[in-house]
Each structure stands twice: as C-alpha cells, then as structure tokens.
C-alpha cells in the first residue's frame, strides 16, 4: 500500500506535466484515443464516484451550518464563468462547435483541482470543497439550462437529454460514493488513498481521447484561436472571483477559495458532454482548459502562498523590533 500511496502522490505532483505528455501521445498515436471515445462517460463516472467516496454526511452538515458563503460562491461561479464564456465567444467571433465548446466549459461546475490550489495557497479548503460539491450537485440543472440559453443560437442543444445524462454521469456516482462512505466509513480509508490517482488517470485517459479525436484539426487557425480565449476565460474568472469575494467582505482565506472555485472548471465533464452530444471539436476548449488551469492555478497558488509568508515574516520582524 505504501508503494501505491507514493505513486498517487507522484501522479498528483506531476499531473500537469502528465497532461502535456498525454496530449503529445494522443497526437502521435491517435488510434488509441479514438478507441477510448465511446467510453468517455464511464471514465468521468469513475472520477465522480471517487469524489463521492471522499464525502460523508458531515460535509453536508458543514454546508448547512454556514451556508451563505457556499451559496454566494456557487452563484458567483454560475454567473461569472458562463457570462465570460459568452462574451469571449462574441469578442473573438467564434462560431459553431468551437463556440459551443467554450460556453460548455463556462457552464460546467467548478473543477476538483481547485481544492488542491486552495490548499497550496493557504485558502479555506472546507469552503472550496463545499462550493465544489454544491456546484457539482446543481450541474444536471444548471449546465443544460445555461448551454441551451447561451449556445442555442450556434447549434441545436438537446437540453432534456443533457439533463438526464448529467444526472446519470454526475449525480448517481457521487450519491453511490457518499452512501458507501456513510455505511463503511473508515473501512474505505485504504481505498480513498488510491482513488485520487485513479481519478487523475481517468482524466488523463479522457484527454488522450479528446486530443486523438481532434488531432487533424488542432493546428488550424480556428482551433488555435481557442487558446487565448481559454486563457482569458480562466484568468478573468480568477480576477472577478477575487473581486466578488472581496466585495462581500469574506476573509482572506475565503477570498482565495472563491477565486479558485470561480476560475477553475470541471473540464473533464465539459469534454465528456461535448463528445456525447456535439462534435469532437466542441471538446477542444475543455481539453485546453484542463491543461491551462492547472498551470495557472499552480502559479497563482504558489505566488499567493509566498506573498503571504513574506508578509507574515515582515510583521514578525516589525513586532520584534518594537518589543
């Protein structure tokens, strides 16, 4: 078990690099990824089942005890990111599947990577996790509704089918995981040491599938235009999330949590739904987002942590000199 735990930590540490390696592999051997595409939904269900296993009734009680920051953070997420996606699509004149892909990413719940970034930055991890759980539980309603409203002019959006499939892909695995955790508790501790690695490997496999499905179009001008759109989407999400958290007078740790929860998306869910309901090209934005937000999140979290530590040392030195 020690070896498995060590392997899990290694995968977490080098996850962003592994994402890039997976993308390169998909370009070199696209046939492998194409064979995976039909199983994309099952891979995501594995990821969300792992999320459910990490939760228990106490997590939901925590939300109930102090619901306001969680509710406000979730509202901010579902207002800021879809709105930014729509504005960027208009600004960059994206059309068809590429436009739908950007809006789909913007309409997704917050990504699980935000939990890690909040932890590194010294943010309120409990608040971060709570917003992530609530936004994910709301995804079956919010995601089809937002995509239908914002992307309906670009492509026919099967909102009802997306609703029922999102329930199957998102809610059922999470509920099953929570139920198992509730009944078996600490007996699943060893399993929970492995599930993060299994989830990350499933996401890497999804990335291989999406890159393989788009290997012939990834270098054309229209597809390359999605890269700056995705970067701006993520960075503006951070900025507006932070401004929102500051405006409602949350403390510094909570501001960090809201920043990451707003700016980081569940790109794996967006990619899976794009492959299932639209075209492989609609999954391009989600795949690029998956790479970029891990990079930007790591940089922001490390900078934030370093800045706060420096400020704390300066206060300590000042206090000692006064004393």
């Amino acid at each position: 078990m020690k070896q498995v735990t060590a392997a899990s930590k290694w995968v977490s540490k080098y996850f962003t690099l592994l994402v890039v390696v997976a993308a390169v592999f998909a370009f070199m051997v696209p046939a492998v990824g194409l064979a995976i595409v039909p199983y994309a939904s099952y891979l995501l269900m594995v990821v969300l089942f792992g999320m459910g296993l990490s939760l228990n009734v106490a997590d939901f009680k925590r939300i109930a005890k102090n619901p306001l920051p969680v509710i406000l953070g979730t509202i901010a997420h579902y207002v800021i990111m879809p709105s930014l996606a729509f504005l960027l699509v208009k600004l960059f004149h994206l059309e068809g599947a590429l436009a739908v892909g950007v809006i789909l990413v913007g309409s997704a719940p917050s990504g699980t990577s935000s939990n890690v970034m909040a932890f590194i930055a010294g943010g309120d991890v409990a608040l971060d996790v709570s917003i992530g759980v609530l936004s994910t539980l709301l995804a079956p309603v919010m995601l089809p509704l937002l995509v239908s409203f914002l992307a309906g002019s670009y492509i026919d959006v099967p909102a009802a089918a997306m609703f029922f499939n999102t329930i199957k892909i998102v809610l059922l695995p999470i509920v099953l995981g929570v139920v198992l955790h509730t009944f078996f508790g600490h007996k699943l501790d060893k399993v929970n040491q492995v599930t993060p690695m299994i989830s990350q490997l499933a996401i890497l496999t999804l990335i291989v599938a999406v890159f393989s499905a788009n290997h012939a179009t990834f270098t054309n001008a229209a597809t390359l235009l999605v890269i700056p759109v995705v970067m701006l989407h993520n960075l503006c999400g951070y900025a507006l999330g932070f401004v929102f958290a500051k405006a409602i007078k949350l403390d510094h740790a909570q501001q960090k949590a809201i920043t990451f929860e707003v700016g980081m998306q569940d790109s794996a869910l967006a990619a899976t739904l794009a492959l299932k309901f639209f075209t492989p090209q609609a999954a391009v934005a989600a795949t690029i987002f998956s790479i970029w937000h891990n990079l930007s999140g790591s940089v922001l979290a490390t900078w934030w942590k370093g800045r706060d530590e420096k400020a704390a040392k300066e206060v300590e030195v000042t206090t000692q000199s006064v004393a």
Side-chain angles (χ1 to χ4, degrees), residues 152-229:
S153 61
Y154 296 101
I155 199 168
D156 182 40
V157 178
M162 283 182 69
F163 169 75
F164 289 110
N165 272 269
T166 309
I167 287 178
K168 181 180 75 175
I169 294 170
V170 175
L171 284 190
L172 292 183
I174 291 177
V175 170
L176 179 59
V178 172
V179 169
L180 288 175
H181 193 165
T182 301
F183 280 98
F184 294 101
H186 292 298
K187 293 179 181 178
L188 294 173
D189 285 348
K190 289 185 177 180
V191 176
N192 278 326
Q193 291 177 24
V194 182
T195 49
M197 182 174 68
I198 294 173
S199 297
Q200 287 170 326
L201 292 175
I203 290 171
L204 289 171
T205 307
L206 271 170
I207 288 169
V208 170
V210 175
F211 266 83
S212 296
N214 287 285
H215 75 281
T217 60
F218 244 113
T219 54
N220 66 37
T223 304
L224 290 175
L225 188 59
V226 175
I227 296 175
V229 171

Side-chain angles (χ1 to χ4, degrees), residues 12-217:
S12 296
K13 184 177 180 180
Y14 295 105
F15 183 68
T16 302
L17 176 62
L18 291 173
V19 168
V20 176
V21 171
V24 172
F25 173 78
F27 272 114
M28 295 175 64
V29 194
V32 175
L34 290 172
I36 297 167
V37 171
Y39 306 100
S41 298
Y42 299 107
L43 288 167
L44 184 61
M45 289 171 78
V46 168
V47 174
L48 292 166
F49 175 68
M51 178 183 178
L53 279 179
S54 69
L55 300 172
N56 55 39
V57 175
D59 293 303
F60 297 98
K61 286 181 178 178
R62 184 180 65 243
I63 295 173
K65 284 181 180 178
N66 190 22
L68 190 59
V70 180
I71 293 169
L72 291 175
T74 304
I75 291 171
H77 178 89
Y78 275 123
V79 170
I80 291 171
M81 293 306 278
S83 300
L84 279 174
F86 183 74
L87 289 173
L88 287 167
V89 161
K90 292 293 186 183
L91 182 64
F92 283 81
H93 304 291
L94 295 181
E95 297 289 342
L98 291 175
V100 172
V102 172
I103 291 170
L104 190 54
V105 172
S107 304
S110 59
T112 53
S113 297
S114 64
N115 304 341
V116 179
M117 303 310 168
F119 174 75
I120 294 170
D124 187 335
V125 178
L127 174 61
D128 192 286
V129 171
S130 297
I131 294 171
V133 170
L134 184 57
S135 68
T136 302
L137 292 175
L138 290 174
V141 174
M142 294 304 299
L143 203 153
L145 187 66
L146 288 167
V147 173
S148 181
F149 178 68
L150 297 174
S153 61
Y154 296 101
I155 199 168
D156 182 40
V157 178
M162 283 182 69
F163 169 75
F164 289 110
N165 272 269
T166 309
I167 287 178
K168 181 180 75 175
I169 294 170
V170 175
L171 284 190
L172 292 183
I174 291 177
V175 170
L176 179 59
V178 172
V179 169
L180 288 175
H181 193 165
T182 301
F183 280 98
F184 294 101
H186 292 298
K187 293 179 181 178
L188 294 173
D189 285 348
K190 289 185 177 180
V191 176
N192 278 326
Q193 291 177 24
V194 182
T195 49
M197 182 174 68
I198 294 173
S199 297
Q200 287 170 326
L201 292 175
I203 290 171
L204 289 171
T205 307
L206 271 170
I207 288 169
V208 170
V210 175
F211 266 83
S212 296
N214 287 285
H215 75 281
T217 60

Side-chain angles (χ1 to χ4, degrees), residues 207-286:
I207 288 169
V208 170
V210 175
F211 266 83
S212 296
N214 287 285
H215 75 281
T217 60
F218 244 113
T219 54
N220 66 37
T223 304
L224 290 175
L225 188 59
V226 175
I227 296 175
V229 171
V230 165
M231 293 171 71
L232 282 170
H233 191 192
N234 169 240
L235 296 176
C236 291
Y238 290 151
L240 292 176
F242 177 75
V243 169
F244 172 80
K246 206 168 182 64
I248 61 174
K249 299 181 179 179
L250 296 180
D251 65 39
H252 190 46
Q254 291 174 323
Q255 289 170 14
K256 294 177 184 179
I258 297 288
T259 298
F260 289 115
E261 276 301 307
V262 170
M264 302 186 79
Q265 300 294 89
D266 189 345
S267 50
L269 174 60
T272 301
L273 294 176
L275 291 172
K276 188 171 185 65
F277 291 106
F278 304 109
T279 66
Q281 197 176 28
V284 169

